Structures are given as structure tokens and as C-alpha cells.
Amino acid sequence: MEPHENTGHPRRWAILGVLVISLLVVVLDNTILNVALRTLADPVHGLGASQGELEWAINSYTLVFAGLLFTFGVLGDRLGRKRFLMVGLALFGLASLLSAYAQDPGQLIATRALMGVGGAAIMPVTLSIISNVFDPRERAKAIGIWAGAVGLAVAIGPVLGGALLEHYWWGSVFLINVPVVVLGVVLVAALVPESRDPKPGRVDVLGVLLSVVGLVALTYGIIDGGEHGFDRPRVWLAIVGGLAVLGWFVAHELRSDHPSLDVRLFRVPRFAAPVALVGLVFFAAMGVMFFGAFYLQLVRGYSPLESGLLFLPFAAAQLIFAPRSAAMVRRYGGRAVAGVGLLLTAAALGAFVLIDADTPIWIFSALGFVQGAGMANIMPPATESIMSALPREKAGVGSAVSNTVRQVAGALGVAVLGSVLSAVYRNDVASAVSGLPGPVRDAAEESISGAYAVADRLGAGAPRLIDAANTSFVSAMHWAAGVSALVALLGFVIVLRWMPGRPVIETEARPATERELAGTA
């Protein structure tokens, strides 16, 4: 290809820094709350929240966030991405302030949902702005840095939360967002250029509504089933109903002459394959991070801050390898890089089958480093392939699809692998607690957290209950890790079969897509 002038924005790298700041505050909030749950349950130092209220304090954010991501990606393309980013940041900051001073669990659940609205406005436009301010030749490197920031935020959330709780009250885990948001709004206003789809056409109102209803219903069913079991009609009504509405959405988009999402793109391997890959990777990874936190804090007895520090090798690997993945893709091709990344991820997840209650803790962190290195070489080429399948003016759609799949798959991973974990744990611990009094037995069978909570009532019998709970949990963790490794290997098969072998620059993306669509129509 002949050399050509760089078409990127003159301040593109400074703009990327601003977008990373905006992204960090959103992703951090997905993980930082986990370490505050015990404090929030305390009636003196927290809000006296029940287990169900704590679950919804986390999931109200996820539910709204996942349900609105796609819609806000479309609206950001139409109304202006800079405007959407600033409004999203302001709303997120206000909701964070309200969350910090919530007076009861119900208020916290409501303000967390409002944070989800702000987060859904921020996340998709960060990636679409990157696509608009960077030349196609630099875009892969920029997306690698963006993906590294996601991994960093996931890992440092528990560390930051633990540090805050050691020195301040529980509201500090939300209040910390406010100065970051203020800084972000100022920098976005000063540096980020406005961009939008120059030919937006009519708004696909029905398509937007169907996508919101379908995603919210599906995500609600997944979350509720993971918490309370998949054996209730309400759960399957939500899941099947959500899938039915999403099916209606697809049928409507195929017939519409102004679709919000051209679903024909899913016939194009370099769009559909990486979307599926993103979903599978986050399904596996989020499930492992879920049981990893319980393993460290309960089985091994580490504090929230210490547990967070043990996840730092995962973040370090993201920071080291994600920015370099673009050069790897140019040299070896997206298929080879993502394939090796998936094998590393699957190997790390599968190795958790060998972790037990006495394994040297450095091995846990080393596996986190390997997993982080693998994921750092999966997400950038997958995201670049998704974004290159769309022209710049439609970047918000590709970003929203990728992020929506990631959020829903992450929730599904926690729900499904959490259900595997719970089922195996209850089966294994049943015989050990069969002779205990009814309320104590029920609490111990429900979860390892329940067993630790009631152990103090048993006096001399407490160590035996703790040992039985730890053994049962580790066994359950092995099953969940095995399932997650198999999911990652399924992603490897998809990479070998459908991922493109060489990067495709954006200037070629639309003609190639049209040819592929014509061949499959």
C-alpha cells in the first residue's frame, strides 16, 4: 500500500488519555463495590442491608447498564458523541454523590441504577470517538491501550475499594468518582471534538424500544436465576421473553429501511466472530473472578485490600501486553494473536482446577498474570475487527454491540458459573452439616459465606464446619474453573474457523462488507 497522510486528529493521543479517564471511572465502579458489601450489611457502620439488597445494589447497575448500552451507542452517533459523553459523565457523578449519602438500601439500589444510565452513555462513545480521531493505521494501537485500561480498572477496583474502607466510611467508594468525573468533564470540553453520523436518517423507534426491553428482560432473568436458582417460572419467563423480544428485534431490523443495527453484519465473519469471542471470553473470565474473590477472602483469609493486591498481576499483564498487541497483529495476523491469547487464557483458567486451600499464593497470582496476558491479546484484535467492519460514522453501533455482549456475557458467566459453584458446594457440604441444628444447617448449606457466619455459634465444632465448607468450596471452584476453560476453548475454535488472518484497514472495510453481504444474501 502506498504511504498516505495521517488522517487522525492532531490531539488524538491527548484525547485518548481523556477517554481512558472517562472509561476508568465506569469500569472501576463495576468492581469497587464488591469489597464494601460486608460493611454495607453492618447496621452500625453501614446500611444494615440484607443479602438480597446487597445483590441488587450490584445488579441494578448492571441491569440498566447492559440494557441501555446499544441504544445509547445509536443515539450518540446521531446526537453527538462529545455531548453524550459529557452528559453521561455529569449524570454518573451526580448519581455517585447520591449513592455515597444514601440513607437506606432502597435509595442505594435506585442511585446505583442511575449510575448505570450514566455509564451506558459513557462506555460506547469512548470507543466510537477513538475510531473517529485516529487514522486506521494507528487505531489498533489506540484500541489496545483502551482495552488495557479496561483490564487495569477491573483489577485495581478491589485494591482501591479496600484502601478506602480501611481509612474512610463506606460512602467513600462512591465519592471517589466525583472529582474524577469533574476532571473528565473539563478535559472533554477542552479537548474532544464533536462528531456524529452525517447522515443519520430516521430514528428506528421500535428497534430501539425492542432492544432495551429484550436486553433488560434477558439480563434480569440471568441475574435473578444466578441468585435464586433457575428452577422458578419467573426466571424462565424473563429469559425466554427477553430472547423472544430480541428475535422480534432481529426480524424488524431485517425488514426496516432505516434499521438502528444492520443485522446483516452478523453474516460477515470479521464482525460476527469477534463479537462471539468477546462474549465467550468475558463469560469465562468474570465467572473466575467471582469465585476467586471468595477463595481469597474466605478460604485463604485475606483482607479485601490484600485480595485486591493479589489480582494486580492480572492488571500488570494487561498494561504490558495490550498496547503491544497491535504490533503483534500486524506481524502475525489477528487470527494467530487471538488464538494464542485464547490458549493462554484457557490454560490459566483450567489450572485453577489444581488450586486448593494450601497452594502457595504466588501461584494464584501467576495464573492471573497468564490470564491477563492472554486476554490482552484477545480483546484488541477482536475489537479492531468489529470496528473495522463499520464506517467511522457508525462507530457507536459497533462499540455498543461489543460492550453490550461483554456486559451480558459477564453477567451470564457469574450467574451460570455461580450456579455451578453453588450446586456442587451444597451437594458436597450436605453430609458434613446434616447433624447441625436447622437454621445453622440451612445457612451453612446455602454458601461458604453462610457457613463462616454461623460457625461462631458452634463453639468447639466451628473448626470442623469451616474445614468442611472450605473443602466443599474448593471442589466446587474446580468444577466452575473447568467449565470456564471449556468456554475459552470454544472461543479458540471460533478464532480458527472465522477470525480474519490479516488486519483490514478501515478504508477497505465497507466495500468488503458489501461484497460479503452480497455473497450471503
Side-chain angles (χ1 to χ4, degrees), residues 65 84 89 98 157 282 291 293 402:
F65 187 82
F84 237 70
L89 282 168
L98 295 173
F282 271 83
F291 69 64
S402 174

mmCIF file of all heavy atoms in Angstrom, residues 65 84 89 98 157 282 291 293 402:
data_model
loop_
_atom_site.group_PDB
_atom_site.id
_atom_site.type_symbol
_atom_site.label_atom_id
_atom_site.label_comp_id
_atom_site.label_asym_id
_atom_site.label_seq_id
_atom_site.Cartn_x
_atom_site.Cartn_y
_atom_site.Cartn_z
ATOM 1 N N PHE A 65 -27.249 -0.732 32.879
ATOM 2 C CA PHE A 65 -26.084 -0.504 32.015
ATOM 3 C C PHE A 65 -26.162 -1.364 30.751
ATOM 4 O O PHE A 65 -26.048 -0.864 29.634
ATOM 5 C CB PHE A 65 -24.825 -0.837 32.824
ATOM 6 C CG PHE A 65 -23.529 -0.491 32.150
ATOM 7 C CD1 PHE A 65 -23.038 0.796 32.183
ATOM 8 C CD2 PHE A 65 -22.788 -1.465 31.500
ATOM 9 C CE1 PHE A 65 -21.838 1.122 31.565
ATOM 10 C CE2 PHE A 65 -21.582 -1.159 30.892
ATOM 11 C CZ PHE A 65 -21.106 0.140 30.928
ATOM 12 N N PHE A 84 -22.903 13.484 24.306
ATOM 13 C CA PHE A 84 -23.355 12.312 25.054
ATOM 14 C C PHE A 84 -22.366 11.952 26.163
ATOM 15 O O PHE A 84 -22.768 11.574 27.266
ATOM 16 C CB PHE A 84 -23.538 11.121 24.106
ATOM 17 C CG PHE A 84 -24.915 10.539 24.134
ATOM 18 C CD1 PHE A 84 -25.982 11.237 23.609
ATOM 19 C CD2 PHE A 84 -25.155 9.300 24.698
ATOM 20 C CE1 PHE A 84 -27.260 10.710 23.636
ATOM 21 C CE2 PHE A 84 -26.421 8.758 24.736
ATOM 22 C CZ PHE A 84 -27.478 9.473 24.203
ATOM 23 N N LEU A 89 -21.083 11.635 31.842
ATOM 24 C CA LEU A 89 -20.171 11.856 32.966
ATOM 25 C C LEU A 89 -20.857 12.650 34.080
ATOM 26 O O LEU A 89 -20.720 12.323 35.274
ATOM 27 C CB LEU A 89 -18.925 12.605 32.487
ATOM 28 C CG LEU A 89 -17.874 11.769 31.752
ATOM 29 C CD1 LEU A 89 -16.855 12.675 31.072
ATOM 30 C CD2 LEU A 89 -17.181 10.814 32.704
ATOM 31 N N LEU A 98 -25.033 10.907 45.159
ATOM 32 C CA LEU A 98 -26.246 10.453 45.824
ATOM 33 C C LEU A 98 -26.046 9.077 46.463
ATOM 34 O O LEU A 98 -26.551 8.815 47.564
ATOM 35 C CB LEU A 98 -27.408 10.413 44.826
ATOM 36 C CG LEU A 98 -27.856 11.762 44.255
ATOM 37 C CD1 LEU A 98 -28.903 11.559 43.161
ATOM 38 C CD2 LEU A 98 -28.411 12.653 45.361
ATOM 39 N N GLY A 157 -9.914 -2.010 40.985
ATOM 40 C CA GLY A 157 -11.130 -1.683 41.727
ATOM 41 C C GLY A 157 -11.127 -2.228 43.149
ATOM 42 O O GLY A 157 -11.316 -1.472 44.117
ATOM 43 N N PHE A 282 -15.439 -13.043 28.198
ATOM 44 C CA PHE A 282 -15.908 -12.409 29.427
ATOM 45 C C PHE A 282 -16.821 -13.318 30.236
ATOM 46 O O PHE A 282 -16.883 -13.210 31.461
ATOM 47 C CB PHE A 282 -16.578 -11.071 29.122
ATOM 48 C CG PHE A 282 -15.595 -9.939 29.113
ATOM 49 C CD1 PHE A 282 -14.843 -9.681 27.980
ATOM 50 C CD2 PHE A 282 -15.384 -9.185 30.235
ATOM 51 C CE1 PHE A 282 -13.904 -8.664 27.971
ATOM 52 C CE2 PHE A 282 -14.445 -8.165 30.250
ATOM 53 C CZ PHE A 282 -13.706 -7.900 29.110
ATOM 54 N N PHE A 291 -15.532 -16.303 41.740
ATOM 55 C CA PHE A 291 -15.187 -17.274 42.786
ATOM 56 C C PHE A 291 -13.783 -17.022 43.337
ATOM 57 O O PHE A 291 -13.481 -17.405 44.464
ATOM 58 C CB PHE A 291 -15.375 -18.726 42.318
ATOM 59 C CG PHE A 291 -14.431 -19.239 41.271
ATOM 60 C CD1 PHE A 291 -13.075 -19.367 41.508
ATOM 61 C CD2 PHE A 291 -14.920 -19.655 40.038
ATOM 62 C CE1 PHE A 291 -12.211 -19.888 40.554
ATOM 63 C CE2 PHE A 291 -14.065 -20.178 39.071
ATOM 64 C CZ PHE A 291 -12.703 -20.285 39.333
ATOM 65 N N ALA A 293 -12.562 -14.151 44.281
ATOM 66 C CA ALA A 293 -12.674 -13.232 45.411
ATOM 67 C C ALA A 293 -13.086 -13.978 46.684
ATOM 68 O O ALA A 293 -12.556 -13.722 47.773
ATOM 69 C CB ALA A 293 -13.686 -12.131 45.087
ATOM 70 N N SER A 402 -20.350 -4.512 20.926
ATOM 71 C CA SER A 402 -19.254 -5.169 21.640
ATOM 72 C C SER A 402 -19.429 -5.060 23.148
ATOM 73 O O SER A 402 -19.299 -6.045 23.883
ATOM 74 C CB SER A 402 -17.920 -4.538 21.213
ATOM 75 O OG SER A 402 -16.850 -5.042 21.976
#
